[in-house]
Amino acid sequence: WAAQLAAPVQALAALPAGHPVALVLEGDAVTLRRREPAQPVRLTGTVHLTRPRRWRFEDLWLDGELKLSAGRVALERCALRRVHSHLIDVADPVLQARSCLFLDLLAPRGRVELEYCTLLGRCVAEALWASEAIFLQFPRKDLSAADPDVPEAGCLRYARLPALPDLPLWMADGVVSSLRVALPTCTAAAPVFVSDTFGQSGCGVLHPASAAALRHGAEDGGELGAYHEAKHTLREQAVLDKLADYLPLGVTPVLAPDHTLTCAPPAPR
């Protein structure tokens, strides 16, 4: 997610010629994606969605705030510093995300659906469905930090939580929440990231020192979180298994990560 290109965007009404983001209109659907698959794109400033459309963002780094006042938004392979939805709807999702990295996700009156996501900061939703996700903080129902209520409905499965409840029943507005937790599939193991600072190279990437419950805790045996589809841990394990076939008995292969490989190469002199 560490982009070398900064592309400030204050409004999406019209993108200038040569802008690194492509805007595709299909009926009431608007899709924004990077033009060059190999070139990361960083959007700064506030992106405020005010039209009742189906918005879709793909392969983008939103380093400011994404505000949702109308429509619905779907995110895929994105990194977002802050998302704030003002929509009121628990029947249909106001936000759907897959393979995304969030710092803060705030939808205090909306339904949120997450798959393969990592949340480094706050997650606030009225109703929450999440699978193969990593939460560094407990999901909450309200914006107030002093309010311990969890979302009033939803389900968490194959997820990492700061702690597992004694019972899959929590409170919301003084009554038992309908939020359910598939306890046998969840874990409270503390993740070890290459970096936990949003915007830095390697942010949210699980370090090999992370527990197996995180590195292989997904339903298909892959890792939890935003990089599930990148298959980092499965690739690493495949290398170790291959090496073991050719090493003498008793010799155990070990991979030593070199994080300098994530840095941009030096500019030519």
Side-chain angles (χ1 to χ4, degrees), residues 1-2 78-79 99-102 116-120 134 136 190-211 214-215 223-236 257-259 261-263:
W1 298 111
C78 290
S99 299
C100 289
L101 174 69
F102 296 88
Y116 313 140
C117 291
T118 298
L119 294 100
L120 303 174
I134 295 176
L136 294 194
V192 179
F193 295 125
V194 173
S195 171
D196 57 5
T197 300
F198 187 87
Q200 284 190 355
S201 178
C203 179
V205 176
L206 287 176
H207 190 278
S210 294
L214 296 167
R215 289 168 53 79
E223 66 189 87
L224 301 181
Y227 297 94
H228 174 88
E229 293 184 310
K231 298 181 171 60
H232 293 320
T233 59
L234 293 181
R235 293 172 188 269
E236 293 168 2
D258 182 358
H259 305 309
L261 295 176
T262 65
C263 301

Side-chain angles (χ1 to χ4, degrees), residues 124-251:
V124 177
E126 184 86 3
L128 176 64
W129 273 257
S131 179
E132 280 96 353
I134 295 176
F135 297 90
L136 294 194
Q137 299 182 23
F138 273 114
R140 297 301 184 195
K141 177 179 179 292
D142 298 307
L143 293 175
S144 173
D147 191 338
D149 284 359
V150 300
E152 69 175 20
C155 179
L156 306 179
R157 60 191 293 274
Y158 296 97
R160 187 273 170 184
L161 296 167
L164 298 182
D166 294 333
L167 294 173
L169 300 174
W170 286 330
M171 301 301 292
D173 289 335
V175 299
V176 175
S177 170
S178 296
L179 179 67
R180 294 295 180 260
V181 181
L183 287 177
T185 69
C186 295
T187 180
V192 179
F193 295 125
V194 173
S195 171
D196 57 5
T197 300
F198 187 87
Q200 284 190 355
S201 178
C203 179
V205 176
L206 287 176
H207 190 278
S210 294
L214 296 167
R215 289 168 53 79
H216 300 284
E219 187 171 12
D220 62 359
E223 66 189 87
L224 301 181
Y227 297 94
H228 174 88
E229 293 184 310
K231 298 181 171 60
H232 293 320
T233 59
L234 293 181
R235 293 172 188 269
E236 293 168 2
Q237 189 60 49
V239 171
L240 293 174
D241 292 344
K242 191 67 173 179
L243 288 173
D245 291 340
Y246 295 93
L247 292 177
L249 183 65
V251 177

Side-chain angles (χ1 to χ4, degrees), residues 23-101:
L23 189 151
V24 181
L25 300 175
E26 297 179 357
D28 68 339
V30 181
T31 300
L32 293 102
R33 61 170 67 98
R34 61 189 182 191
R35 293 185 186 274
E36 299 295 334
Q39 176 60 63
V41 176
R42 173 177 174 242
L43 303 180
T44 60
T46 298
V47 178
H48 192 185
L49 306 180
T50 59
R51 297 185 180 182
R53 296 179 178 270
R54 292 182 291 116
W55 301 92
R56 182 177 181 84
F57 294 78
E58 298 177 357
D59 301 294
L60 297 175
W61 172 14
L62 281 74
D63 204 18
E65 181 178 20
L66 175 62
K67 297 175 64 176
L68 183 61
S69 297
R72 297 291 187 270
V73 65
L75 307 164
E76 188 160 358
R77 300 180 303 277
C78 290
L80 305 101
R81 180 174 293 276
R82 178 182 172 91
V83 179
H84 195 169
S85 169
H86 300 278
L87 299 177
I88 302 175
D89 193 343
V90 296
D92 296 314
V94 301
L95 181 144
Q96 295 175 298
R98 179 185 175 94
S99 299
C100 289
L101 174 69

